[in-house]
Amino acid sequence: MHTFGYRANALLTFAITALAFICAIASFSDKFSNQNPSAEIQILNINRFKKQSHGNDEVSLTLDISADLQSLFTWNTKQVFVFVAAEYETPKNSLNQVSLWDAIIPAKEDAKFRIQVSNKYRFIDQGQNLRGKEFNLTLHWHVMPKTGKMFADKIVMPGYSLPDAYR
Amino acid sequence: MDWKGQKLAEELMKILLIAFGGVAFIAGYVTSSFGTMMMIYAGVVLFTAMFTAPNWSFFNLHPLKWLDPIEAEKYPKPELTTESWKKRNSKHC
């Protein structure tokens, strides 16, 4: 503490270290928030279901997605990334996950929504296993914080199935 | 600043930052606004800087006792003549 510059340097370094500590506590405080998200997905229509020229099955769906993710937002949330994936089993792979749609929710007001949309990304199988296939639709979310740890979770909705023949 | 003043400045800096940093966190948590917490903390840092970094007079309550000039005059620095300059700056040394 000999000169002004020495004290100013010590003060700034300590202030930044304390700021890192404060951000860690802010991230930890997310554990105490009460979260109960809910979601529901309906398949409105199967638009196309065919075999591609190089042999793989492809499906095009229209989905009705409604969700209430407002309770996921805390004071330390920057945005929530949400996506819908179809999960099913084939002889070749014990678990296939195909992402059909995703979105970024920037604020709490936008977190309660209902949309009808066709799948954003193509639903293509590795093979020709989709006829009559039963699959789950899972809604995954990643809560991205302003500082600290990101946490992710999902809701699994079983019981969807594809028709037995190509259309 | 004297020695006691330096110690006081350092301790004061730590206490102010930690205590008012805690206040900033609580204010942000209660209002559910991360922005509030950051603004209050920036204010805290500036306030602490104004308080502990400059050389205020209350840090100098136990001033150091420097020697009187008369002691230094008893032992004057030796003056160099031109002869000794040449010797000093020649290549053979």
Side-chain angles (χ1 to χ4, degrees):
Chain A
M1 302 307 207
H2 311 298
T3 66
F4 174 83
Y6 191 109
R7 282 189 296 276
N9 180 36
L11 181 140
L12 270 176
T13 311
F14 193 73
I16 293 181
T17 309
L19 180 66
F21 194 69
I22 288 177
C23 288
I25 301 181
S27 173
F28 185 72
S29 74
D30 272 350
K31 277 198 196 303
F32 304 116
S33 62
N34 211 0
Q35 300 184 333
N36 53 337
S38 60
E40 199 186 291
I41 303 183
Q42 284 174 323
I43 298 186
L44 291 178
N45 188 27
I46 299 198
N47 310 330
R48 252 184 320 177
F49 184 10
K50 65 178 173 80
K51 194 166 106 147
Q52 288 180 333
S53 47
H54 36 266
N56 295 329
D57 281 352
E58 181 176 352
V59 189
S60 168
L61 312 159
T62 304
L63 300 165
D64 179 334
I65 307 172
S66 64
D68 180 2
L69 302 174
Q70 286 188 326
S71 59
L72 295 175
F73 277 80
T74 68
W75 70 308
N76 187 28
T77 302
K78 184 174 184 319
Q79 63 195 17
V80 170
F81 174 70
V82 62
F83 68 96
V84 170
E87 295 176 352
Y88 57 95
E89 192 182 317
T90 57
K92 187 172 157 199
N93 306 319
S94 62
L95 177 64
N96 298 275
Q97 286 171 311
V98 183
S99 177
L100 298 177
W101 172 86
D102 58 27
I104 292 179
I105 306 175
K108 191 168 177 170
E109 299 80 47
D110 307 324
K112 186 166 179 174
F113 61 91
R114 180 173 185 169
I115 53 163
Q116 281 131 8
V117 72
S118 64
N119 51 323
K120 203 168 162 185
Y121 306 110
R122 297 168 71 175
F123 188 168
I124 301 177
D125 186 32
Q126 290 180 339
Q128 300 104 37
N129 303 303
L130 289 183
R131 277 164 292 177
K133 178 60 74 180
E134 286 189 15
F135 59 97
N136 298 340
L137 283 174
T138 34
L139 186 88
H140 297 248
W141 58 84
H142 286 12
V143 179
M144 297 173 176
K146 290 191 171 111
T147 72
K149 184 168 163 32
M150 177 174 91
F151 53 95
D153 205 352
K154 61 186 181 185
I155 294 179
V156 181
M157 290 163 277
Y160 303 90
S161 60
L162 289 170
D164 292 323
Y166 293 129
R167 291 191 192 168
Chain B
M1 237 188 237
D2 57 48
W3 306 119
K4 283 210 178 346
Q6 287 179 7
K7 179 170 169 160
L8 178 67
E10 179 176 353
E11 310 245 304
L12 208 58
M13 171 194 84
K14 286 186 204 166
I15 291 175
L16 281 179
L17 276 180
I18 293 179
F20 286 102
V23 167
F25 172 75
I26 291 176
Y29 189 69
V30 162
T31 61
S32 277
S33 164
F34 203 82
T36 303
M37 180 179 88
M38 293 305 275
M39 296 293 275
I40 295 183
Y41 187 68
V44 163
V45 173
L46 272 173
F47 171 75
T48 308
M50 259 182 1
F51 208 69
T52 62
N55 201 359
W56 300 116
S57 56
F58 60 81
F59 287 127
N60 209 14
L61 295 176
H62 305 265
L64 296 167
K65 218 166 169 302
W66 295 105
L67 281 181
D68 290 334
I70 203 158
E71 286 280 335
E73 271 169 17
K74 276 194 196 163
Y75 307 99
K77 272 170 80 169
E79 277 180 31
L80 292 169
T81 61
T82 30
E83 288 264 322
S84 46
W85 262 110
K86 276 190 195 157
K87 226 183 185 177
R88 222 174 86 158
N89 296 335
S90 71
K91 280 185 191 171
H92 303 296
C93 284

